[in-house]
């Protein structure tokens, strides 16, 4: 069925053409950037086996938790992935695939708190893919072998990278702290990939190519690869995709909105 009603109070609406500077209002109480937002997961259901998509576009891309005994809903929002599980779309992630293939751009964003920084594979936080070797886009934790694990790793299929999205884009060693963090991966039509951590740009990689060779049959999964391997453990508080690149300023806006997505406490009576 449809996602339950979700009420949001905001101090102002962010207008890309007329941004509000921080001194003009508390960004923490702002609203997230919504222009060309495709999927948005707040992980606020509190129970059940569905992660609802609050993105403004249709059809909604709700995700199913394969085994609810492997996760715990957090009382203040968020989902704790405690052991290997798969949270995935029942079919293709059509609106992500189609919109990004059309625009040539993508942004993937998440608020995550890993159970440990020592995860590798890379461990899939958020992925549009088929299996461990074939993907459109993946935001992940760690690398593999003796390479650093305290990093964010983004793999993107383009006409200049492999079907597995390699060479990948990796944030600096130590940029993943093991605490609750905000991570954003972007790719633009100039072929530049970027990873921002807690609002700050950490790496720019000119991977090149376009998204013309994406496979529009791939679904969306959280916490594991589509076949259940390469699983990631920890708390996820928000995940989102856009069919365009967020600017550095917009990344700051979303970071400022916080892991609850800028949802404010109820006003006093």
């Amino acid at each position: 069925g449809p996602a339950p009603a979700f009420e949001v109070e905001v101090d102002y609406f962010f207008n890309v053409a007329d941004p509000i500077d921080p001194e003009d209002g508390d960004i923490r109480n702002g609203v997230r950037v919504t222009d060309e937002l495709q999927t948005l997961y707040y992980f606020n259901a509190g129970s059940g086996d569905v992660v609802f998509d609050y993105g403004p576009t249709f059809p909604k891309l709700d995700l199913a938790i394969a085994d609810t005994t492997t996760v715990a809903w957090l009382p203040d929002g968020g989902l704790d992935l405690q052991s290997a599980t798969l949270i995935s779309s029942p079919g293709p992630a059509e609106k992500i695939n189609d919109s990004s293939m059309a625009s040539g751009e993508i942004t993937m964003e998440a608020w995550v708190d890993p159970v440990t920084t020592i995860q590798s594979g890379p461990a899939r936080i958020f992925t549009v893919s088929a299996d461990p070797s074939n993907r459109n886009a993946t935001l992940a934790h760690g690398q593999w072998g003796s390479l650093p694990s305290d990093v964010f790793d983004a793999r993107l299929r383009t006409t200049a990278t492999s079907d597995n999205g390699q060479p990948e884009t990796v944030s600096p060693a130590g940029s993943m702290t093991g605490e609750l963090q905000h991570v954003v991966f972007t790719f633009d039509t100039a072929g530049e990939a970027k990873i921002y951590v807690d609002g700050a740009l950490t790496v720019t990689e000119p991977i090149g190519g376009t998204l013309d060779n994406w496979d529009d049959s791939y679904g969306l999964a959280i916490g594991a690869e589509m076949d259940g391997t390469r699983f990631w453990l920890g708390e996820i508080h928000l995940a989102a995709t856009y069919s365009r690149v967020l600017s550095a300023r917009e990344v700051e806006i979303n970071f400022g909105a916080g892991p609850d997505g800028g949802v404010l406490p109820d006003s006093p009576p």
Side-chain angles (χ1 to χ4, degrees):
F6 192 58
E7 293 183 5
V8 184
E9 287 183 28
V10 295
D11 283 355
Y12 58 80
F13 285 95
F14 179 68
N15 178 348
V16 175
D18 184 25
I20 297 171
D21 290 324
E23 58 268 22
D24 292 338
D26 180 359
I27 285 189
R28 178 66 184 83
N29 290 343
V31 65
R32 290 169 45 82
V33 177
T34 58
D35 185 34
E36 292 184 53
L37 174 65
Q38 296 296 330
T39 59
L40 176 61
Y41 304 99
Y42 282 120
F43 303 94
N44 66 342
S47 64
D49 62 358
V50 178
V51 176
F52 291 107
D53 174 17
Y54 286 101
T57 55
F58 293 92
K60 297 298 185 185
L61 194 65
D62 294 343
L63 308 177
I65 303 171
D67 181 358
T68 54
T69 67
T70 63
V71 302
W73 292 98
L74 301 173
D76 296 324
L79 187 64
D80 187 3
L81 282 55
Q82 297 176 330
S83 57
T85 193
L86 178 62
I87 303 169
S88 61
S89 61
E94 288 178 12
K95 64 181 180 177
I96 299 176
N97 294 328
D98 294 349
S99 63
S100 280
M101 288 176 77
S103 69
E105 298 190 336
I106 189 169
T107 294
M108 303 178 79
E109 173 192 17
W111 277 95
V112 291
D113 186 353
V115 67
T116 173
T117 57
I118 305 170
Q119 301 187 58
S120 63
R124 315 303 201 236
I125 297 170
F126 194 24
T127 186
V128 180
S129 52
D131 56 48
S133 305
N134 296 278
R135 71 200 61 266
N136 289 342
T138 298
L139 182 59
H141 172 165
Q143 295 183 268
W144 63 93
S146 60
L147 294 170
S149 67
D150 53 354
V151 298
F152 292 101
D153 179 293
R155 292 184 178 183
L156 185 74
R157 174 185 295 198
T158 77
T159 53
T161 66
S162 73
D163 285 353
N164 198 16
Q166 291 175 292
E168 58 258 77
T169 303
V170 185
S171 68
S175 56
M176 175 181 273
T177 63
E179 304 296 315
L180 178 63
Q181 286 183 290
H182 182 240
V183 58
V184 177
F185 167 67
T186 69
F187 176 80
D188 63 26
T189 52
E192 268 197 348
K194 297 178 178 180
I195 295 177
Y196 299 81
V197 178
D198 290 340
L201 180 63
T202 66
V203 61
T204 301
E205 201 71 59
I207 61 174
T210 70
L211 307 184
D212 292 346
N213 62 336
W214 272 25
D215 187 324
D216 63 6
S217 72
Y218 292 172
L220 176 68
I222 287 174
E225 195 47 79
M226 272 295 178
D227 61 358
T229 63
R230 308 290 197 274
F231 61 88
W232 178 83
L233 301 179
E235 296 179 4
I236 186 161
H237 290 260
L238 183 148
T241 62
Y242 296 78
S243 53
R244 68 176 180 90
V245 166
L246 292 192
S247 69
R249 174 67 184 139
E250 289 172 319
V251 171
E252 283 181 16
I253 289 279
N254 280 6
F255 174 52
D260 58 6
V263 180
L264 303 188
D266 291 334
S267 302

